[in-house]
Amino acid sequence: MIIAIDGPAASGKSSTARGVAAAAGFVYMDSGLIYRAVALGFLKTGLQSTEDDAEISLRRFQVEVTCVERHMHVHIDGVDVTAELHTPQITEMASQVAALKIVRKRLFGLQRGFGDRYGADPGIVVVGRDMGTIVFPHADLKFFITASLEVRAQRRLIELHQVGEASSFESVLGAIAARDRQDSERKIAPLKKALDAVLIETDKLTLADQIDMILGHVLEQSNSM
Ligand code: DC
């Protein structure tokens, strides 16, 4: 079974997806990590994020994905970089490289291959911006998780404080709004809800509520298979 979960930055989709995958015994794939790994590769090669540079840059490093304890890990030139991908610099660069046609084309096969392989057995939860619309239009279940900008900024602020990073509410809100714009307004594979995705608004929900809601759909789907 393939469960596709999309949504904007800081909507809680990754935590929800991880919880669903753990409860169902499924593999978890966060496609954002692959874009982040490519961003790291770009930063290392020192090239700007334009279509022409991207073509050159993509030839200079190798991106691979593996499955470690039911979580997708990303490797650059054979080195597992999964734990290094959440710096503000990579976050900014990832949003830029994700708007490039050549990058999306190259990463499509990597994501589709990994998802289909584990979707068959034991099942997989895939998370991103275009999982239900482009990469896995054939997913068995699709969800679009969202929350208001203010709630997302508040959640991100708490996460940042937990890792000792001091930021103001205003700057976090501004950064998320800018990423929303970049991810939704790009020409190629913009963030949008698939027509057949279930919309989950999380402003008033807890993480446990979100996980339970999706698991309810999974159970229903398994019974009808
Ligand atoms: O989910 P994230 O913040 O880790 O994603 C990093 C960037 O990659 C973000 O700007 C959106 C982009 N992305 C994308 O365009 N398509 C995906 N399937 C996943 C992420």
Side-chain angles (χ1 to χ4, degrees), residues 13 31-32 35-36 94-95 98 104 128-131 179 183 186:
K13 60 186 186 307
S31 59
Y35 287 94
R36 286 172 180 272
S95 192
R104 302 204 76 89
R129 304 292 191 286
D130 60 347
M131 297 293 98
R179 274 228 284 158
D183 294 341
R186 66 178 178 226

